[in-house]
Amino acid sequence: MSMPSESKLRIVFMGTPDFAVASFKSILEAGFKVVGAITAPDRPAGRGRKVQASAVKQFALEHQIKVLQPTNLKDESFLEELRELKADLQVVVAFRMLPKIVWQMPKYGTFNLHASLLPQYRGAAPINWAIINGETETGVTTFFIDDKIDTGSIILQKKEDILPEDNAGTLHDRLMEVGASLVVETCQQIVSGTVKRLPQKETANLKPAHKIHKETCRVDWEAPLEEIHNLIRGLSPYPAAWTHLVNHGKEEAIKIYETQIESKIHKQPNGQLLVEKKALKVAVSGGYLHILELQLPGKRKMKVSEVLNGLNLDENAHLR
């Protein structure tokens, strides 16, 4: 099979959020021809619930690229429009599970970018779970899509350190850039005919990256110090860890975005709040967790120094 050049390979790009736009942009900058973008339907977003186009749709329209927004990926009218794009290759970044009729359509197949070192952290939230689980290394993987979730043959991988100061937001931004370059490299290998396929090894200790739910985000103050710290940074800045503040007989939900560990033996009950020299800390097993950034109900996210100015804690104030 003779291979087309970068400018003649017809690519359909599939994705929705900002994470996908970096790859989309890099593909265009590398000289590849994107003939269509498939993304989620416009949805209400933000406090005003105004209908908004996805980041991928906005980017595609800015570059005069045709956009399709199917609600049903098996709908015959969508499939016909997709066929008319005559894609040689489909590239998927942060989209949804594709039916076989879609992923097997192009002659060079469909590949996906996943923000983990597969087969670890298959699923919807690999960046969050890698930090929550205390990993010190993760990465990105490109792989050919098959009929299961994140199980297809691996094309390329690149490792990335998880730094102690990282949260889900900072790691997301680095993996977005590393992933974009890996997507381009994958396209180039497909064009040159040098692409290799490495089947994923199924091992017994695979860690999943299932979708984050509200209960996932609730802090358990009986958990060890480092485990709580990792949960908070793994959920920051979104969707954010939360807990209940009990103060002056009232209980209200608050969000916590940033913490710092202080390992220390103490006799305070878990969840007890203490204020020391303009610092707010929580007693937990193994020490204290210093709260650096939080959000009270109806307020914006604030540094703890701002919060303490107006927060009158009683001696029994605690988090539960």
Side-chain angles (χ1 to χ4, degrees), residues 232-292:
I232 290 165
R233 69 192 190 104
L235 296 170
S236 179
Y238 182 82
W242 65 276
T243 186
H244 283 120
L245 167 63
V246 182
N247 187 33
H248 293 292
K250 280 173 49 181
E251 187 170 319
E252 52 189 4
I254 66 168
K255 290 181 177 179
I256 304 175
Y257 293 91
E258 189 182 356
T259 53
Q260 200 171 47
I261 285 173
E262 179 192 346
S263 298
K264 197 171 187 178
I265 296 167
H266 64 79
K267 293 182 179 177
Q268 301 282 351
N270 292 340
Q272 180 70 46
L273 278 169
L274 302 127
V275 179
E276 281 181 10
K277 298 175 185 173
K278 294 206 172 178
L280 178 65
K281 60 187 190 180
V282 196
V284 297
S285 299
Y288 297 101
L289 200 65
H290 288 251
I291 298 175
L292 305 181

Side-chain angles (χ1 to χ4, degrees), residues 114-186:
H114 189 72
S116 81
L117 298 173
L118 290 173
Q120 293 293 358
Y121 295 106
R122 291 172 178 158
I127 297 172
N128 305 93
W129 282 109
I131 297 178
I132 290 168
N133 288 339
E135 304 288 359
T136 56
E137 184 181 74
T138 185
V140 286
T141 303
T142 53
F143 68 96
F144 282 109
I145 287 179
D146 64 11
D147 50 8
K148 297 195 183 97
I149 295 176
D150 304 333
T151 58
S153 295
I154 290 168
I155 307 167
L156 293 170
Q157 288 191 321
K158 182 144 194 209
K159 293 179 179 178
E160 180 71 19
D161 288 339
I162 301 177
L163 308 174
E165 63 271 22
D166 269 329
N167 63 19
T170 58
L171 184 59
H172 167 282
D173 291 352
R174 287 209 310 283
L175 291 179
M176 180 172 70
E177 297 305 325
V178 174
S181 65
L182 202 71
V183 163
V184 169
E185 194 179 338
T186 303

Side-chain angles (χ1 to χ4, degrees), residues 10-67:
R10 295 176 65 84
I11 293 176
V12 164
F13 186 86
M14 302 185 181
T16 297
D18 285 324
F19 188 88
V21 172
S23 292
F24 196 168
K25 183 169 181 274
S26 293
I27 289 171
L28 292 180
E29 287 174 349
F32 287 97
K33 183 184 177 98
V34 177
V35 295
I38 318 300
T39 191
D42 297 356
R43 290 198 173 97
R47 289 196 169 179
R49 307 303 291 160
K50 287 183 182 173
V51 174
Q52 284 186 7
S54 75
V56 162
K57 179 180 178 179
Q58 291 173 44
F59 182 82
L61 293 178
E62 284 164 17
H63 291 81
Q64 290 81 51
I65 292 169
K66 183 179 175 69
V67 175

